[in-house]
Amino acid sequence: MKVIRAKSAGFCWGVERAIKIARQYSDSGARRVYSDGPLIHNRQMMEKLEAEGIREVGDYQSRGELSLSSDGVLVVRAHGISPERREYLKSLGLEFRDATCPDVGIVAGKIRKMARAGYASIIFGDKDHPEVIGLLGYTEGRGYAVQGREDIDALPELGDKVCMVSQTTMFTDDFASLVEYVRGKYPDLVVFDTICGATRARQSDIEVLLRDGAQAIVVIGGHHSANTRKLAALAERSNLPTFHIETAAEINHDDFKGFDCVGVTAGASTPDFLIDAVCEKLGAL
Ligand code: SF4
């Protein structure tokens, strides 16, 4: 079977950067390296990093208390954290390294600036996702995570000063459409389109796979990875059979009977070794 691999498949720069920062310490083997929650959202890569001495501690949302050896290094996850969490982590007395993706940092900076100017912040995203939890921390108590019109309708009266941003991994079309809806209620809405470049590239590459003749799409990445789930949902919207898998072991030969060409893409936290294995297995079918 012919396999077309999306150009953007695999690590984005924010994920690569976070891994590089953590590895700077684990490479020497001299210090314990901790990440507060998963450094990136990919189980197989986190297992690999654990074998290299980078240990995930705490919980998925980076909310719980930590008890760590003070000679270690604490690395902040690529998704970022709230200012309160930052203060807490720094109070633990370990060396502190921030691996927050700079694209997330930009969103946090915009929210903080607007909040200080008296604006309420609407964040288009999942309120339970670590990135959004972190961003809400910059809103000075006037932040609201929304996913659709019903969430907007349920908001309290926000006054004249309202701004809107997006979680970095959302659909561009959905954000644009929700912005229009919010603008209907708040004509002076200030909008920052904060969907990151890596997410946009992955989303538009789905179109390229379709154009190049893919009859089905395989999306590789963690089932709990926001950007991978979005990619899978986008592929499904194209009405092609879509398979969201984490590893090559999940490929079922029967699912691909009758296809001559399959497109393969992967979330921003999916390592190349997983993509290579999937492409190889599909190509051999
Ligand atoms: S998906 Fe975007 S925001 Fe998230 S780590 Fe990658 S580049 Fe940064």
Side-chain angles (χ1 to χ4, degrees):
M1 185 163 60
K2 182 178 172 193
V3 178
I4 315 172
R5 181 171 172 156
K7 273 205 181 76
S8 58
F11 285 165
C12 62
W13 78 290
V15 162
E16 267 180 3
R17 179 177 172 275
I19 292 172
K20 192 172 166 198
I21 288 173
R23 276 181 170 157
Q24 275 168 7
Y25 296 94
S26 67
D27 277 352
S28 69
R31 317 217 7 222
R32 291 167 200 260
V33 185
Y34 304 108
S35 88
D36 178 30
L39 188 66
I40 63 168
H41 277 165
N42 184 274
R43 194 164 49 87
Q44 292 75 22
M45 191 63 202
M46 287 307 296
E47 282 166 7
K48 188 168 160 49
L49 292 174
E50 172 119 26
E52 295 175 21
I54 299 165
R55 214 176 107 210
E56 174 189 335
V57 290
D59 58 294
Y60 171 74
Q61 294 182 328
S62 292
R63 288 189 195 269
E65 304 237 318
L66 305 178
S67 170
L68 304 170
S69 149
S70 60
D71 59 349
V73 181
L74 186 54
V75 181
V76 171
R77 58 196 303 161
H79 317 97
I81 49 172
S82 66
E84 292 75 23
R85 185 68 178 175
R86 180 176 303 269
E87 209 171 296
Y88 166 72
L89 295 179
K90 285 188 168 174
S91 75
L92 297 175
L94 288 76
E95 183 171 344
F96 178 88
R97 281 302 309 270
D98 191 351
T100 301
C101 173
D103 281 349
V104 177
I106 288 170
V107 191
K110 289 186 187 306
I111 292 175
R112 179 168 51 193
K113 186 172 166 208
M114 297 306 282
R116 288 181 178 166
Y119 279 76
S121 303
I122 297 176
I123 302 172
F124 176 46
D126 174 1
K127 68 176 173 30
D128 296 319
H129 189 278
E131 179 186 323
V132 176
I133 293 169
L135 292 176
L136 284 168
Y138 289 89
T139 63
E140 307 209 338
R142 296 190 66 219
Y144 305 88
V146 300
Q147 299 216 56
R149 294 181 175 203
E150 54 295 344
D151 295 335
I152 298 292
D153 292 341
L155 292 177
E157 178 48 50
L158 300 178
D160 295 337
K161 290 181 153 186
V162 183
C163 71
M164 188 165 174
V165 301
S166 174
Q167 183 179 344
T168 52
T169 49
M170 300 302 274
F171 285 136
T172 47
D173 292 354
D174 289 352
F175 181 59
S177 134
L178 200 59
V179 162
E180 281 319 301
Y181 187 70
V182 177
R183 207 169 251 140
K185 291 176 181 268
Y186 301 99
D188 296 329
L189 181 72
V190 177
V191 178
F192 301 102
D193 182 347
T194 50
I195 294 165
C196 74
T199 296
R200 287 176 201 283
R202 276 158 192 72
Q203 290 181 5
S204 57
D205 271 1
I206 295 269
E207 300 294 324
V208 176
L209 293 178
L210 299 182
R211 196 193 61 208
D212 290 350
Q215 298 161 323
I217 305 284
V218 175
V219 182
I220 315 163
H223 288 299
H224 57 306
S225 152
N227 76 81
T228 309
R229 287 207 313 259
K230 290 279 170 209
L231 268 187
L234 191 63
E236 272 162 14
R237 283 185 189 183
S238 68
N239 289 326
L240 286 191
T242 299
F243 304 92
H244 178 178
I245 58 174
E246 286 199 359
T247 69
E250 291 169 59
I251 294 172
N252 180 355
H253 182 274
D254 290 344
D255 289 340
F256 293 91
K257 276 186 179 156
F259 299 137
D260 301 316
C261 176
V262 63
V264 173
T265 184
S269 47
T270 309
D272 274 350
F273 69 86
L274 292 178
I275 306 170
D276 293 343
V278 167
C279 289
E280 203 175 306
K281 191 164 176 181
L282 288 171
L285 291 182

